[in-house]
Amino acid sequence: MLSLIAVKEAIFITTTQQSLVVLAQHGDEEAFYQLIEQEQHKLYRMAYVYVQNENDAIEVFQQTIIRAYEGLPQLKEPRYFATWLTRIMINCCKTYMAKKNTIQLVEPQSLADLNSTSPTYIEEELDLWQALCQLEDKYKTVLLLRFYQDYSVKDIAVILQCPEGTVKTHIRRGLQALRQQLKGAYLDEWVQSAERSH
């Protein structure tokens, strides 16, 4: 069970980051660069998961940065910068994929990760990702945010601008859909492992 302090830290960025957001909102490009630098790994990973290859992920990442830079003066709550930025990334991914008319997901594992991982585990991971590819977009997005981006239900509700109950329903239905596609206990082990890590 997360403490109240941990929950608050998960939702709100630090005071230093908030100060950087305010500076960036007033045209400080160096402050904006620092903010993006702090979030870039998470953003790039999310883009890569959606678009499947490095070049497309870089393009979506760049689109996200441009949209964020242009929209930053309108951000009313600097403490929500990270969730606001994630929402922009998701929207950019959806727009990009709609233009390409394909939706494919890959788990961005490095070759080093794969070399140190058992063949059975890799097979299970690939099966899981293929099953995720088949899900409706609303289920896929919440499962990616919850289990691969380490966001809480509350965070996801803020990012997607919907009630927490809706997020919980989408997670539950998404997992049910995955269970119908996957055989064996692997999915339950994956969920339990992901939950233990939070």
Side-chain angles (χ1 to χ4, degrees), residues 123-142:
E123 263 181 44
E124 290 172 340
E125 282 285 299
L126 290 174
D127 287 346
L128 177 59
W129 278 93
Q130 287 169 356
L132 275 168
C133 286
Q134 307 304 316
L135 293 180
E136 286 183 52
D137 192 51
K138 60 187 177 183
Y139 302 144
K140 182 166 41 196
T141 299
V142 294

PDB file of all heavy atoms in Angstrom, residues 123-142:
ATOM      1  N   GLU A 123       9.403 -15.717 -25.235  1.00  0.00           N
ATOM      2  CA  GLU A 123       8.198 -16.184 -25.937  1.00  0.00           C
ATOM      3  C   GLU A 123       6.938 -15.659 -25.260  1.00  0.00           C
ATOM      4  O   GLU A 123       6.007 -15.207 -25.912  1.00  0.00           O
ATOM      5  CB  GLU A 123       8.154 -17.722 -25.945  1.00  0.00           C
ATOM      6  CG  GLU A 123       8.675 -18.343 -27.214  1.00  0.00           C
ATOM      7  CD  GLU A 123       8.579 -19.855 -27.175  1.00  0.00           C
ATOM      8  OE1 GLU A 123       7.534 -20.381 -26.747  1.00  0.00           O
ATOM      9  OE2 GLU A 123       9.547 -20.496 -27.563  1.00  0.00           O
ATOM     10  N   GLU A 124       6.911 -15.745 -23.928  1.00  0.00           N
ATOM     11  CA  GLU A 124       5.747 -15.275 -23.179  1.00  0.00           C
ATOM     12  C   GLU A 124       5.545 -13.773 -23.355  1.00  0.00           C
ATOM     13  O   GLU A 124       4.420 -13.290 -23.516  1.00  0.00           O
ATOM     14  CB  GLU A 124       5.893 -15.636 -21.698  1.00  0.00           C
ATOM     15  CG  GLU A 124       5.769 -17.136 -21.440  1.00  0.00           C
ATOM     16  CD  GLU A 124       6.096 -17.507 -20.014  1.00  0.00           C
ATOM     17  OE1 GLU A 124       6.774 -16.716 -19.323  1.00  0.00           O
ATOM     18  OE2 GLU A 124       5.693 -18.594 -19.574  1.00  0.00           O
ATOM     19  N   GLU A 125       6.662 -13.012 -23.324  1.00  0.00           N
ATOM     20  CA  GLU A 125       6.572 -11.568 -23.524  1.00  0.00           C
ATOM     21  C   GLU A 125       6.018 -11.245 -24.912  1.00  0.00           C
ATOM     22  O   GLU A 125       5.165 -10.376 -25.069  1.00  0.00           O
ATOM     23  CB  GLU A 125       7.963 -10.922 -23.373  1.00  0.00           C
ATOM     24  CG  GLU A 125       8.408 -10.748 -21.939  1.00  0.00           C
ATOM     25  CD  GLU A 125       7.692  -9.594 -21.265  1.00  0.00           C
ATOM     26  OE1 GLU A 125       7.815  -8.436 -21.716  1.00  0.00           O
ATOM     27  OE2 GLU A 125       7.000  -9.843 -20.274  1.00  0.00           O
ATOM     28  N   LEU A 126       6.501 -11.946 -25.926  1.00  0.00           N
ATOM     29  CA  LEU A 126       6.022 -11.723 -27.291  1.00  0.00           C
ATOM     30  C   LEU A 126       4.544 -12.070 -27.414  1.00  0.00           C
ATOM     31  O   LEU A 126       3.777 -11.358 -28.072  1.00  0.00           O
ATOM     32  CB  LEU A 126       6.858 -12.529 -28.288  1.00  0.00           C
ATOM     33  CG  LEU A 126       8.298 -12.042 -28.487  1.00  0.00           C
ATOM     34  CD1 LEU A 126       9.070 -13.010 -29.375  1.00  0.00           C
ATOM     35  CD2 LEU A 126       8.332 -10.634 -29.076  1.00  0.00           C
ATOM     36  N   ASP A 127       4.140 -13.184 -26.784  1.00  0.00           N
ATOM     37  CA  ASP A 127       2.718 -13.560 -26.791  1.00  0.00           C
ATOM     38  C   ASP A 127       1.869 -12.466 -26.166  1.00  0.00           C
ATOM     39  O   ASP A 127       0.796 -12.118 -26.672  1.00  0.00           O
ATOM     40  CB  ASP A 127       2.503 -14.870 -26.019  1.00  0.00           C
ATOM     41  CG  ASP A 127       3.021 -16.086 -26.771  1.00  0.00           C
ATOM     42  OD1 ASP A 127       3.292 -15.955 -27.990  1.00  0.00           O
ATOM     43  OD2 ASP A 127       3.155 -17.145 -26.144  1.00  0.00           O
ATOM     44  N   LEU A 128       2.355 -11.918 -25.049  1.00  0.00           N
ATOM     45  CA  LEU A 128       1.631 -10.868 -24.355  1.00  0.00           C
ATOM     46  C   LEU A 128       1.497  -9.634 -25.247  1.00  0.00           C
ATOM     47  O   LEU A 128       0.416  -9.053 -25.364  1.00  0.00           O
ATOM     48  CB  LEU A 128       2.350 -10.509 -23.050  1.00  0.00           C
ATOM     49  CG  LEU A 128       1.752  -9.369 -22.233  1.00  0.00           C
ATOM     50  CD1 LEU A 128       0.324  -9.670 -21.830  1.00  0.00           C
ATOM     51  CD2 LEU A 128       2.605  -9.107 -21.011  1.00  0.00           C
ATOM     52  N   TRP A 129       2.586  -9.256 -25.905  1.00  0.00           N
ATOM     53  CA  TRP A 129       2.544  -8.072 -26.759  1.00  0.00           C
ATOM     54  C   TRP A 129       1.655  -8.282 -27.976  1.00  0.00           C
ATOM     55  O   TRP A 129       0.960  -7.371 -28.407  1.00  0.00           O
ATOM     56  CB  TRP A 129       3.958  -7.651 -27.153  1.00  0.00           C
ATOM     57  CG  TRP A 129       4.542  -6.856 -26.043  1.00  0.00           C
ATOM     58  CD1 TRP A 129       5.305  -7.317 -25.013  1.00  0.00           C
ATOM     59  CD2 TRP A 129       4.331  -5.476 -25.786  1.00  0.00           C
ATOM     60  NE1 TRP A 129       5.580  -6.304 -24.136  1.00  0.00           N
ATOM     61  CE2 TRP A 129       5.006  -5.161 -24.586  1.00  0.00           C
ATOM     62  CE3 TRP A 129       3.646  -4.461 -26.455  1.00  0.00           C
ATOM     63  CZ2 TRP A 129       5.015  -3.892 -24.039  1.00  0.00           C
ATOM     64  CZ3 TRP A 129       3.664  -3.179 -25.911  1.00  0.00           C
ATOM     65  CH2 TRP A 129       4.336  -2.913 -24.719  1.00  0.00           C
ATOM     66  N   GLN A 130       1.658  -9.469 -28.530  1.00  0.00           N
ATOM     67  CA  GLN A 130       0.767  -9.752 -29.662  1.00  0.00           C
ATOM     68  C   GLN A 130      -0.692  -9.662 -29.205  1.00  0.00           C
ATOM     69  O   GLN A 130      -1.545  -9.156 -29.941  1.00  0.00           O
ATOM     70  CB  GLN A 130       1.070 -11.130 -30.248  1.00  0.00           C
ATOM     71  CG  GLN A 130       2.375 -11.154 -31.031  1.00  0.00           C
ATOM     72  CD  GLN A 130       2.829 -12.555 -31.404  1.00  0.00           C
ATOM     73  OE1 GLN A 130       2.214 -13.538 -31.017  1.00  0.00           O
ATOM     74  NE2 GLN A 130       3.916 -12.636 -32.145  1.00  0.00           N
ATOM     75  N   ALA A 131      -0.956 -10.139 -27.992  1.00  0.00           N
ATOM     76  CA  ALA A 131      -2.319 -10.049 -27.456  1.00  0.00           C
ATOM     77  C   ALA A 131      -2.705  -8.588 -27.216  1.00  0.00           C
ATOM     78  O   ALA A 131      -3.823  -8.166 -27.500  1.00  0.00           O
ATOM     79  CB  ALA A 131      -2.433 -10.857 -26.164  1.00  0.00           C
ATOM     80  N   LEU A 132      -1.767  -7.788 -26.697  1.00  0.00           N
ATOM     81  CA  LEU A 132      -2.029  -6.364 -26.485  1.00  0.00           C
ATOM     82  C   LEU A 132      -2.358  -5.662 -27.802  1.00  0.00           C
ATOM     83  O   LEU A 132      -3.192  -4.761 -27.838  1.00  0.00           O
ATOM     84  CB  LEU A 132      -0.813  -5.684 -25.844  1.00  0.00           C
ATOM     85  CG  LEU A 132      -0.702  -5.762 -24.319  1.00  0.00           C
ATOM     86  CD1 LEU A 132       0.674  -5.307 -23.866  1.00  0.00           C
ATOM     87  CD2 LEU A 132      -1.777  -4.934 -23.650  1.00  0.00           C
ATOM     88  N   CYS A 133      -1.699  -6.091 -28.886  1.00  0.00           N
ATOM     89  CA  CYS A 133      -1.949  -5.486 -30.205  1.00  0.00           C
ATOM     90  C   CYS A 133      -3.414  -5.609 -30.610  1.00  0.00           C
ATOM     91  O   CYS A 133      -3.934  -4.757 -31.333  1.00  0.00           O
ATOM     92  CB  CYS A 133      -1.105  -6.181 -31.285  1.00  0.00           C
ATOM     93  SG  CYS A 133       0.622  -5.759 -31.226  1.00  0.00           S
ATOM     94  N   GLN A 134      -4.074  -6.671 -30.153  1.00  0.00           N
ATOM     95  CA  GLN A 134      -5.446  -6.944 -30.580  1.00  0.00           C
ATOM     96  C   GLN A 134      -6.499  -6.183 -29.768  1.00  0.00           C
ATOM     97  O   GLN A 134      -7.668  -6.152 -30.132  1.00  0.00           O
ATOM     98  CB  GLN A 134      -5.741  -8.456 -30.470  1.00  0.00           C
ATOM     99  CG  GLN A 134      -4.734  -9.348 -31.183  1.00  0.00           C
ATOM    100  CD  GLN A 134      -4.585  -8.995 -32.653  1.00  0.00           C
ATOM    101  OE1 GLN A 134      -5.570  -8.777 -33.337  1.00  0.00           O
ATOM    102  NE2 GLN A 134      -3.351  -8.935 -33.126  1.00  0.00           N
ATOM    103  N   LEU A 135      -6.066  -5.575 -28.676  1.00  0.00           N
ATOM    104  CA  LEU A 135      -7.025  -4.898 -27.797  1.00  0.00           C
ATOM    105  C   LEU A 135      -7.531  -3.592 -28.395  1.00  0.00           C
ATOM    106  O   LEU A 135      -6.838  -2.948 -29.182  1.00  0.00           O
ATOM    107  CB  LEU A 135      -6.381  -4.589 -26.444  1.00  0.00           C
ATOM    108  CG  LEU A 135      -6.010  -5.762 -25.546  1.00  0.00           C
ATOM    109  CD1 LEU A 135      -5.400  -5.234 -24.258  1.00  0.00           C
ATOM    110  CD2 LEU A 135      -7.202  -6.646 -25.255  1.00  0.00           C
ATOM    111  N   GLU A 136      -8.728  -3.200 -27.961  1.00  0.00           N
ATOM    112  CA  GLU A 136      -9.231  -1.874 -28.307  1.00  0.00           C
ATOM    113  C   GLU A 136      -8.287  -0.835 -27.720  1.00  0.00           C
ATOM    114  O   GLU A 136      -7.672  -1.052 -26.674  1.00  0.00           O
ATOM    115  CB  GLU A 136     -10.629  -1.656 -27.704  1.00  0.00           C
ATOM    116  CG  GLU A 136     -11.742  -2.411 -28.387  1.00  0.00           C
ATOM    117  CD  GLU A 136     -13.091  -2.065 -27.759  1.00  0.00           C
ATOM    118  OE1 GLU A 136     -13.405  -0.862 -27.637  1.00  0.00           O
ATOM    119  OE2 GLU A 136     -13.800  -3.004 -27.376  1.00  0.00           O
ATOM    120  N   ASP A 137      -8.194   0.298 -28.397  1.00  0.00           N
ATOM    121  CA  ASP A 137      -7.243   1.336 -28.016  1.00  0.00           C
ATOM    122  C   ASP A 137      -7.398   1.763 -26.557  1.00  0.00           C
ATOM    123  O   ASP A 137      -6.422   1.959 -25.846  1.00  0.00           O
ATOM    124  CB  ASP A 137      -7.425   2.547 -28.941  1.00  0.00           C
ATOM    125  CG  ASP A 137      -6.294   3.544 -28.791  1.00  0.00           C
ATOM    126  OD1 ASP A 137      -5.130   3.124 -28.876  1.00  0.00           O
ATOM    127  OD2 ASP A 137      -6.588   4.725 -28.567  1.00  0.00           O
ATOM    128  N   LYS A 138      -8.647   1.897 -26.065  1.00  0.00           N
ATOM    129  CA  LYS A 138      -8.857   2.371 -24.691  1.00  0.00           C
ATOM    130  C   LYS A 138      -8.301   1.391 -23.664  1.00  0.00           C
ATOM    131  O   LYS A 138      -7.800   1.794 -22.616  1.00  0.00           O
ATOM    132  CB  LYS A 138     -10.336   2.646 -24.433  1.00  0.00           C
ATOM    133  CG  LYS A 138     -11.248   1.446 -24.602  1.00  0.00           C
ATOM    134  CD  LYS A 138     -12.717   1.853 -24.486  1.00  0.00           C
ATOM    135  CE  LYS A 138     -13.647   0.675 -24.733  1.00  0.00           C
ATOM    136  NZ  LYS A 138     -15.067   1.088 -24.690  1.00  0.00           N
ATOM    137  N   TYR A 139      -8.373   0.091 -23.957  1.00  0.00           N
ATOM    138  CA  TYR A 139      -7.826  -0.913 -23.038  1.00  0.00           C
ATOM    139  C   TYR A 139      -6.303  -0.970 -23.143  1.00  0.00           C
ATOM    140  O   TYR A 139      -5.604  -1.068 -22.135  1.00  0.00           O
ATOM    141  CB  TYR A 139      -8.424  -2.284 -23.331  1.00  0.00           C
ATOM    142  CG  TYR A 139      -9.933  -2.332 -23.226  1.00  0.00           C
ATOM    143  CD1 TYR A 139     -10.684  -3.117 -24.097  1.00  0.00           C
ATOM    144  CD2 TYR A 139     -10.614  -1.590 -22.271  1.00  0.00           C
ATOM    145  CE1 TYR A 139     -12.077  -3.159 -24.010  1.00  0.00           C
ATOM    146  CE2 TYR A 139     -12.005  -1.622 -22.175  1.00  0.00           C
ATOM    147  CZ  TYR A 139     -12.735  -2.404 -23.052  1.00  0.00           C
ATOM    148  OH  TYR A 139     -14.096  -2.445 -22.961  1.00  0.00           O
ATOM    149  N   LYS A 140      -5.809  -0.917 -24.358  1.00  0.00           N
ATOM    150  CA  LYS A 140      -4.372  -0.977 -24.593  1.00  0.00           C
ATOM    151  C   LYS A 140      -3.667   0.175 -23.881  1.00  0.00           C
ATOM    152  O   LYS A 140      -2.649  -0.027 -23.223  1.00  0.00           O
ATOM    153  CB  LYS A 140      -4.139  -0.916 -26.098  1.00  0.00           C
ATOM    154  CG  LYS A 140      -2.708  -1.011 -26.527  1.00  0.00           C
ATOM    155  CD  LYS A 140      -2.599  -1.274 -28.016  1.00  0.00           C
ATOM    156  CE  LYS A 140      -3.588  -0.465 -28.823  1.00  0.00           C
ATOM    157  NZ  LYS A 140      -3.750  -0.948 -30.175  1.00  0.00           N
ATOM    158  N   THR A 141      -4.222   1.375 -24.007  1.00  0.00           N
ATOM    159  CA  THR A 141      -3.578   2.554 -23.420  1.00  0.00           C
ATOM    160  C   THR A 141      -3.489   2.451 -21.902  1.00  0.00           C
ATOM    161  O   THR A 141      -2.434   2.695 -21.319  1.00  0.00           O
ATOM    162  CB  THR A 141      -4.335   3.833 -23.828  1.00  0.00           C
ATOM    163  OG1 THR A 141      -4.302   3.956 -25.254  1.00  0.00           O
ATOM    164  CG2 THR A 141      -3.698   5.073 -23.211  1.00  0.00           C
ATOM    165  N   VAL A 142      -4.584   2.071 -21.238  1.00  0.00           N
ATOM    166  CA  VAL A 142      -4.541   2.001 -19.765  1.00  0.00           C
ATOM    167  C   VAL A 142      -3.598   0.898 -19.291  1.00  0.00           C
ATOM    168  O   VAL A 142      -2.900   1.070 -18.290  1.00  0.00           O
ATOM    169  CB  VAL A 142      -5.944   1.820 -19.126  1.00  0.00           C
ATOM    170  CG1 VAL A 142      -6.804   3.039 -19.371  1.00  0.00           C
ATOM    171  CG2 VAL A 142      -6.632   0.554 -19.580  1.00  0.00           C
TER     172      VAL A 142
END
